Amino acid sequence: MEYVSAVPVPQPRTEAAAAPDSAGSRRTLAAGLLLGAAGATVVLLASGQTWAEGKAPVGGGSLPLSADGQDVTGLPAALAIVGLAALVAVFAVRGGGRRVVAGLLALSGLGAALSAFIGASDSGALDEKAAQTSGDSAATITALSHTAWPYVTAVGGLLILLAGLLALRYGSRWPTMSGRYERDGTPRPRKAPRPLDPDRPEDLWKALDRGEDPTREA
């Protein structure tokens, strides 16, 4: 008499079922890298541009002055560099460490965006230049105007933030940098050592270096 088991037999995952998840991981990985690298590049370039312009009273006239992003605040550029380092470090760690680094990536982007946005209306850097130029510590800048570069810097910071959010959400599926693993995370097969040839002196020396006895029968 034949019996039919009611327990379902687990079936191996087919390549077709695994393919969508793998493709999705590659897409989020590419998006994270692109957003992070592009955002950091935008922040570093835009923070070196002119953010504010004005005139300093000198004698009976005025002298035009300008301030770039580094004069106003060096925080966005510094955080962009931190973001780049965190973007690379995401692939060097795994587990909880990856989430911590991804959080640092997101926070560096948020900080860069906020500091750039706040600096968009700042006049402190130009007031300081006006005081130095005129020799009057109480002198302030006049005809103050701002450019769009602070907002471009803020957009770059938001791109870094998006890269960090992607890493927080999907980073657990991304591969880890390691010479012993393939792109899908499976260990690479190790090559079997070549059999010892007693007629080759170099093989005997290599065996002795490994602490093996080349005269012992296998």
Side-chain angles (χ1 to χ4, degrees), residues 105-121:
L105 175 62
L107 288 176
S108 64
L110 178 61
L114 288 177
S115 58
F117 185 78
I118 294 173
S121 57

Side-chain angles (χ1 to χ4, degrees), residues 202 204-212:
E202 58 270 24
L204 297 179
W205 283 111
K206 290 180 181 178
L208 290 173
D209 288 340
R210 292 194 300 267
E212 300 174 0

Side-chain angles (χ1 to χ4, degrees), residues 35-124:
L35 288 171
T41 302
V42 169
V43 170
L44 292 173
L45 291 178
S47 61
Q49 305 299 319
T50 299
W51 282 23
E53 297 174 325
K55 294 182 179 180
V58 178
S62 60
L63 179 68
L65 296 175
S66 63
D68 60 24
Q70 297 289 347
D71 295 328
V72 175
T73 172
L75 195 56
L79 289 176
I81 294 174
V82 173
L84 278 177
L87 185 63
V88 175
V90 163
F91 302 98
V93 295
R94 64 179 67 190
R98 175 167 288 185
R99 293 188 64 83
V100 171
V101 175
L104 177 61
L105 175 62
L107 288 176
S108 64
L110 178 61
L114 288 177
S115 58
F117 185 78
I118 294 173
S121 57
D122 182 83
S123 62

